[in-house]
Amino acid sequence: MPLPTPIPLRSGPGRWVLAATVLGSALAFVDATVVVVALPRLAEDLGARTADLQWTINGYGLTLAAFLLLAGSLGDRLGRRRVFLVGVVWFAVASLACALAPTSGALVAARVLQGVGGALLTPGSLALLQSTFAGEDRARAIGAWSGLGAIAGAIAPFLGGWIVDSVSWRWIFAVNLPLAALVVLATLRHVPESRDPRGGRLDVAGTVVGALGLAGLTWGFTRWGDTGRVTTDALAGLVAGVALLGLLVVVERRAADPLVPPALFAWRPFAATNAATLVVYAAITGLGFFLTTTLQVVVGWSALAAGLASLPMTLLLLVLSPTAGSLGTRLGPRLPMTVGPLLCAVGLVLLAPVGVGTTYLAGVLPGVLLVGLGMTTLVAPLTTTALAAAPDALAGTASGVNNAVARVAGLLAVAVLPLVSGVGSGLTDPAVLAPAHRTAMLVCAGLMLAGAVVAALGVPGSAEAARPPAAQAPGVSSGASSRRGAGGRPAGS
């Protein structure tokens, strides 16, 4: 099928296309974060243990990260609108299952399914914008999509906290149903279908091996933290996870159309940028997981107040990112990607003492502001370098890989941090959580310092130096690029 004739962004159909893609991607993006606000209430209502709460987050993150790149290829092959619609409907049905879940096990199972739906719809939203609009309209549409998505991220903690306090945690899932219905109607009526005429093979083997490897690691670390010792099944999960991720490298090297071309990582700036992404986004996920829970369980704040605590960080990203992007262009990526994590590390150290009697203005806001400034300094150069450090033909693949790396970082952070912080099964016990929070914040600060070191040593001082020396990475099929060109929201969004 040829690409559809471009339509004007300011036309009625153009606005509906933008609305449908923004709402669709916001569903998946918001549900990846808003559940953290509800964790203490989930534990109370469902009798959930710490491991159950971890899997409530990681069940979603695991399938979303594992199937994201394959879903982009699937949309290009079968039709972007079709796969996007399947993803939205799937996501809505899984959201209903989450809202009705009678037990923590049922909730985790529904969240796993919800992540599959999120993976199907997330890459399709950006791919539909790319195929529907052209020229300046395309740039404006993608800019609006990113900006409105950031606004959704700013609203999510407030909305989630208000819903949890005013109605029930179940409604943070049920509210997805009318929004999904609106997305489906708008997509059916106004969004044209498109496919990639170059086709290509689906890397199912790579996807399955990668998903199983991540699942093994997640299971092993979560089980270890829950029991407080390395049980036989925890060790088996860790060993299997490492072995399968090692096998993934072999599978991708032999694949005709690999989801993650190994040759990309042979270029030092690309490898360093993604290594920095891994540790930085692990730290940010750990911050969100522990701070929001500690403010409710230890300090005694409401879900709404805890959700609003990090709002300044999101607002700084929203307001100052364009300026930071321009500054990063002039200075080159190395300096902001080194200074940004250092600012975040200081902010995380300031947030370590949060506990009984903490006030927002003195105990929370300074740290949140510093983390926000650090992330604002870091995100735009990181995303730009992740794209620039790949051949032009693989820019879409590079974006998808960087986004997947950020999601895997969050997945591993939620699995590992409760273990290393010593919280064990006491995430809802104030006496256990208070010292564990302090440890977790210091560990996250250490991860930020590691990100600064990686950037200082591996990221070039100029955008031009980040570009690979050849127009095409060796051993990589150029036809693979656009099929994964909508790997989803950039890591920093």
Side-chain angles (χ1 to χ4, degrees):
M1 173 185 291
L3 295 176
T5 302
I7 62 176
L9 176 61
R10 295 183 179 179
S11 65
R15 292 189 181 96
W16 274 111
V17 170
L18 179 61
T21 54
V22 167
L23 278 176
S25 60
L27 285 173
F29 176 61
V30 169
D31 259 47
T33 57
V34 72
V35 176
V36 177
V37 180
L39 291 181
R41 201 65 56 85
L42 286 172
E44 179 183 337
D45 289 356
L46 298 178
R49 300 175 299 113
T50 297
D52 299 324
L53 299 178
Q54 289 175 267
W55 277 110
T56 300
I57 297 174
N58 276 348
Y60 179 86
L62 174 63
T63 49
L64 181 62
F67 292 104
L68 192 65
L69 294 175
L70 179 68
S73 296
L74 197 65
D76 290 338
R77 184 185 183 103
L78 301 180
R80 294 165 181 140
R81 187 182 77 155
R82 177 183 298 174
V83 173
F84 177 74
L85 282 170
V86 170
V88 173
V89 173
W90 186 311
F91 191 90
V93 172
S95 296
L96 178 61
C98 290
L100 299 176
T103 65
S104 57
L107 177 59
V108 170
R111 286 282 285 170
V112 169
L113 293 175
Q114 198 183 33
V116 176
L120 290 172
L121 70 88
T122 299
S125 61
L126 184 54
L128 286 171
L129 293 180
Q130 291 175 322
S131 63
T132 302
F133 302 108
E136 292 185 5
D137 276 351
R138 178 184 292 170
R140 291 193 187 100
I142 293 175
W145 178 83
S146 299
L148 291 171
I151 292 173
I155 294 173
F158 165 78
L159 179 63
W162 178 80
I163 289 174
V164 170
D165 284 341
S166 303
V167 192
S168 166
W169 62 266
R170 297 182 183 276
W171 279 93
I172 64 176
F173 300 110
V175 74
N176 292 332
L177 299 177
L179 294 176
L182 178 60
V183 173
V184 169
L185 290 174
T187 303
L188 288 173
R189 293 192 60 180
H190 300 289
V191 178
E193 182 61 284
S194 65
R195 294 186 179 90
D196 187 342
R198 286 171 289 188
R201 301 177 183 177
L202 298 176
D203 186 10
V204 176
T207 299
V208 172
V209 172
L212 291 176
L214 290 174
L217 290 181
T218 305
W219 163 262
F221 283 122
T222 303
R223 179 66 173 161
W224 184 357
D226 187 42
T227 60
R229 58 192 178 89
V230 186
T231 58
T232 302
D233 53 351
L235 181 61
L238 292 173
V239 171
V242 172
L244 285 167
L245 291 180
L247 178 61
L248 176 63
V249 176
V250 177
V251 169
E252 294 299 270
R253 286 186 181 279
R254 295 182 177 179
D257 239 344
L259 283 176
V260 184
L264 277 177
F265 288 91
W267 179 234
R268 182 177 175 182
F270 185 83
T273 300
N274 282 280
T277 299
L278 185 70
V279 292
V280 164
Y281 279 90
I284 286 298
T285 303
L287 168 64
F289 181 78
F290 271 91
L291 181 63
T292 306
T293 306
T294 300
L295 290 176
Q296 294 179 74
V297 173
V298 178
V299 187
W301 291 5
S302 67
L304 175 59
L308 287 174
S310 59
L311 181 61
M313 183 169 63
T314 308
L315 293 178
L316 284 172
L317 277 165
L318 179 63
V319 174
L320 297 181
S321 285
T323 302
S326 299
L327 186 63
T329 300
R330 293 198 297 270
L331 297 177
R334 180 191 296 151
L335 183 61
M337 285 182 64
T338 302
V339 172
L342 293 176
L343 290 173
C344 290
V346 176
L348 286 161
V349 171
L350 292 180
L351 290 168
V354 169
V356 176
T358 293
T359 62
Y360 183 71
L361 290 179
V364 178
L365 184 59
V368 167
L369 287 176
L370 271 175
V371 173
L373 286 172
M375 290 301 292
T376 301
T377 303
L378 163 73
V379 164
L382 185 151
T383 305
T384 301
T385 306
L387 297 178
D392 290 340
L394 293 176
T397 300
S399 175
V401 168
N402 188 245
N403 185 53
V405 167
R407 295 182 187 278
V408 169
L411 179 73
L412 295 176
V414 175
V416 176
L417 269 179
L419 169 64
V420 299
S421 68
V423 75
S425 58
L427 191 65
T428 56
D429 183 345
V432 176
L433 180 57
H437 168 87
R438 180 182 183 88
T439 301
M441 292 302 97
L442 295 178
V443 170
C444 289
L447 289 172
M448 285 293 184
L449 291 177
V453 171
V454 169
L457 297 178
V459 175
S462 68
E464 292 75 17
R467 297 209 46 90
Q472 175 68 43
V476 178
S477 168
S478 63
S481 63
S482 71
R483 292 195 311 281
R484 294 183 294 278
R489 187 179 307 277
S493 301

